[in-house]
Amino acid sequence: MSREEQFAIPVEIMDGFSTDDDATREWLRTLSSVAHDLLRQWDLRPDGDVRSGEAGVVVPVHRADGTRAALKLQVPRAETRAAILGLARWDGRGVVRLLDSDVDRGGMLLELLHGDQSLETVENDDDAVRVVGGLLARLHGADAPDGLPGLGTIATDMIAAAPEAVRALDGADRSRFDRWVRRVSEAAADPGGSLLHWDLHYGNVLSADREPWLAIDPEPLVGDPGFDLWPALDSGWSADGTVADAPRIVRRRFEILTEMLDLDRERAAVWTMARLLQNTLWDIEDGDPVISTSAKTVDDALAAYGASGGR
């Protein structure tokens, strides 16, 4: 019996994966074989349905000692290596614990969290955003390991890409885009040195046994803590076109997070602009030459903080 026959990743879970690059196509081709090898290497037994996300797949497993865990498989690339470096440094403090890893094959053995109970299930939004603020404070407090991407390089690359990208935008969007580029250029001289999560939206905070809530799916980099706020500011309402008070939600979350993290609000607003700039550059690259409605909402909601100093 082949390794693929012994353990096969269901084909239907891969529908959401982009196959535009050779690395992803090769990863998908060998995925079941790699999963089988890691199950054997770490003495694991599959226990439950395989789940897929935007970046990889998760196989619930039992370890040899009977404890439950999760085998996560991602395309072995720089982002996967960064995730392993960050998780190893945090060592479970505010984030899912890394139990073992195989960088070359994109494998991570993680403690098992409650995947069906994210922060999106919390009804009181102040309570939810305070959970995010508490987790970010812990994550940012760790010393950044060597080998992670830096916000200074990311900001420089964005600024370099802006002159070509802006040509795809119309007049109103172009003016907003140019303002973002100008403000981010001013901030780029001091990109910060904290260890960031990069993607801590409400869906990336799960209920756990050892703590009420833990972060998952980090994309670690080194930079200013203000660059880490946008995912939480954007969570929930941006996917629901019926939310009428989105600007108030954004401002309230921003005030709570900047207070909890002791951030200068003008600086944090500018680094949030950097996230909006980054997202827009990605959209233009993907053939969508407009600034999204949600990005405009966040930008407008934080305009007062970006224009004034202090907290």
Side-chain angles (χ1 to χ4, degrees), residues 136 140 151 154-155 158 177 180-181 184 196-201 204 217 219 221 224-234 267-283 291-292 294-295 298-299 302:
L136 286 176
H140 295 169
L151 181 53
I154 291 170
M158 288 194 292
F177 186 92
W180 292 346
V181 173
V184 173
L196 308 184
H197 182 286
W198 203 350
D199 196 27
L200 199 57
H201 55 76
N204 271 348
D217 291 350
E219 300 179 26
L221 78 157
D224 190 280
F227 196 67
D228 240 358
L229 304 186
W230 172 80
L233 300 179
D234 189 71
R267 182 178 176 86
V270 172
W271 281 117
T272 300
M273 286 183 195
R275 294 299 295 266
L276 304 179
L277 174 61
Q278 183 179 57
N279 293 340
T280 302
L281 286 167
W282 286 337
D283 288 343
I291 294 177
S292 70
S294 62
V298 172
D299 186 39
L302 300 186

Side-chain angles (χ1 to χ4, degrees), residues 20 157-158 161 164-166 168-169 177 277-290:
D20 292 340
D157 290 345
M158 288 194 292
E164 178 66 26
V166 74
L169 301 175
F177 186 92
L277 174 61
Q278 183 179 57
N279 293 340
T280 302
L281 286 167
W282 286 337
D283 288 343
I284 293 172
E285 184 178 348
D286 290 340
D288 190 12
V290 295

Side-chain angles (χ1 to χ4, degrees), residues 74-87 103-104 106 108 146-149 220:
Q74 295 185 191
V75 181
R77 55 176 40 140
E79 293 85 351
T80 304
R81 180 177 181 273
I84 291 171
L85 284 172
L87 288 169
V103 175
D104 292 336
M108 289 174 263
D146 294 334
L148 293 180

Side-chain angles (χ1 to χ4, degrees), residues 255-266:
E255 289 170 356
I256 290 174
L257 290 173
T258 51
E259 179 179 6
M260 291 185 71
L261 299 173
D262 194 28
L263 303 182
D264 178 276
R265 285 182 173 156
E266 180 178 11

Side-chain angles (χ1 to χ4, degrees), residues 79-99:
E79 293 85 351
T80 304
R81 180 177 181 273
I84 291 171
L85 284 172
L87 288 169
R89 175 54 53 91
W90 284 313
D91 192 25
R93 294 183 291 273
V95 69
V96 63
R97 177 166 282 129
L98 180 69
L99 306 174

